[in-house]
Amino acid sequence: MSLRLDPGAPLFADVAGDIDVSFEFFPPKTEKMEETLWESIQTLSPLGPRFVSVTYGAGGTTRERTHNTVARIARETPIAAAAHLTCVEATREEIDAVAEEYWAAGVRHIVALRGDPPTAGAKFTSPVGGYENAADLVAGLRRLHPFEISVAAYPECHPDSPDAAHDLDNLKRKIDAGANRAITQFFFEPETFLRFRDDAAVAGIDAEIVPGIMPVMNYASVVRMSAMCGTAVPAWMARLFEGLDEHPAARQLVAATLAAELCRKLYAGGVRQFHFYTLNRAELSYAICHLLGVRPKDAAGVAAA
C-alpha cells in the first residue's frame, strides 16, 4: 500500500481528534522504579487511554509484581488495566488460578501470549499439563470469564515462525479462538505495518490490529531488542541518533519527532489506534500523543498515590 501525503499540508496539521491510544508498562523491581511508574501513570492518565497493560516476565518471573501492579491500577485509577499472561512454565490450573485472581481484582482485560522461555535463546516447549500456545490460552480464558483479550502480532514475522504465511496462520488461530484484537511488535517504517495489515485481511483476519510504537529512548538498547525479536532497524535511524549519547534532551526530541512522524503516516494509511511501549517513562509518549492531537480529557484523572 503506497502512502500519498499532501505535500502542501501544514507540518503536523491537526488531525480529526479520532485517535485512541493505550500504553504498556512493566512491573517495577524497586521502590524507586515503582515511584517512577506511578508518576508516569499519573502523567498519561489524563489522555484517556483505552487501557494500560503490564508485562509478564519470562517464565513467570514477575507474576506477583505484575499482579500487584495491575490490581493497583484497577483499584486506584479510572483506567482499564490489562494484565499480560503467558503459557511458560505453568500448568493450566496455575494459569487459570492467576486469571481468576485478576477477575476477582476487577481486571477484565488479558493480553494472552505464548511467552518466552526463561533462558534467553532457548526453544519454547509447552510445559506438561500447560497451555500449548497463545491460541490455546485464549480458548482457556474464554472458558473462564468473558475477558477482553488481546494477542500479539508480528509485522516482520515471529523469530520462531518458518515464514510469514505460517505466522499469519498462527495469528488467525488466536483470533478464531476468541481474541478481540492483536497488538503488534514494534517496527520503524509505516509500510511494514500497512503491508502486514493488508496481508492479514487477505488471510481472513478481520479483528482490530493495533500498531505497537516504541519511542527510541536509547538507540543501542533498541538495536539489541530488535535483534532478539526480528525487527529491522533502518540504516537512517543510526545516522539520526549518532552523536547524541551525551545529549539526552536532544535525543528525546529526535525520538519524539520520529515516532510522531511514523504515527502520522500510519494515520494517513487509516490507522486510528496506537499502543505505546513506554518503558515506564511518560515524557516521550506524552509528547508524541500531543503532536498527534491527543489532549487531556476533562473527565480523566488518577488517584494513584
Side-chain angles (χ1 to χ4, degrees), residues 65-81:
R65 287 188 281 117
T66 296
H67 182 274
N68 291 342
T69 302
V70 173
R72 185 178 175 189
I73 293 172
R75 184 175 64 250
E76 299 184 16
T77 83
I79 312 171

Side-chain angles (χ1 to χ4, degrees), residues 90-174:
T91 65
R92 288 171 179 254
E93 289 74 17
E94 289 170 335
I95 292 172
D96 289 354
V98 173
E100 291 286 6
E101 289 176 9
Y102 281 130
W103 187 267
V107 176
R108 299 293 183 263
H109 188 170
I110 300 288
V111 180
L113 308 166
R114 187 202 72 179
D116 297 320
T119 303
K123 182 178 176 59
F124 173 83
T125 56
S126 176
V128 176
Y131 287 107
E132 293 182 9
N133 50 42
D136 193 23
L137 174 58
V138 169
L141 292 171
R142 277 275 164 258
R143 286 191 291 269
L144 294 177
H145 294 290
F147 283 110
E148 181 177 356
I149 302 175
S150 297
V151 294
Y154 299 86
E156 294 169 270
C157 197
H158 191 283
D160 290 348
S161 292
D163 54 48
H166 181 276
D167 209 44
L168 278 173
D169 286 343
N170 186 51
L171 175 58
K172 190 171 190 307
R173 283 192 291 272
K174 292 188 282 189

Side-chain angles (χ1 to χ4, degrees), residues 173-261:
R173 283 192 291 272
K174 292 188 282 189
I175 298 300
D176 290 347
N180 300 93
R181 76 178 55 78
I183 302 171
T184 76
Q185 181 62 270
F186 61 88
F187 56 91
F188 297 112
E189 296 185 298
E191 294 82 3
T192 300
F193 175 84
L194 297 173
R195 280 195 300 266
F196 176 74
R197 184 188 63 181
D198 292 346
D199 290 343
V202 171
I205 298 169
D206 58 3
E208 173 187 354
I209 300 179
V210 181
I213 307 299
M214 172 74 81
V216 181
M217 298 186 190
N218 181 298
Y219 178 73
S221 295
V222 163
V223 169
R224 286 194 297 272
M225 286 189 286
S226 298
M228 293 170 60
C229 62
T231 297
V233 180
W236 52 259
M237 187 174 286
R239 294 193 297 271
L240 285 176
F241 285 98
E242 185 178 4
L244 295 181
D245 290 349
E246 305 303 320
H247 302 279
R251 190 170 67 240
Q252 286 216 353
L253 288 170
V254 172
T257 302
L258 283 180
E261 181 180 1

Side-chain angles (χ1 to χ4, degrees), residues 37-48:
L37 167 63
W38 286 94
E39 287 174 354
S40 297
I41 291 174
Q42 284 181 307
T43 298
L44 294 170
S45 175
L47 297 180

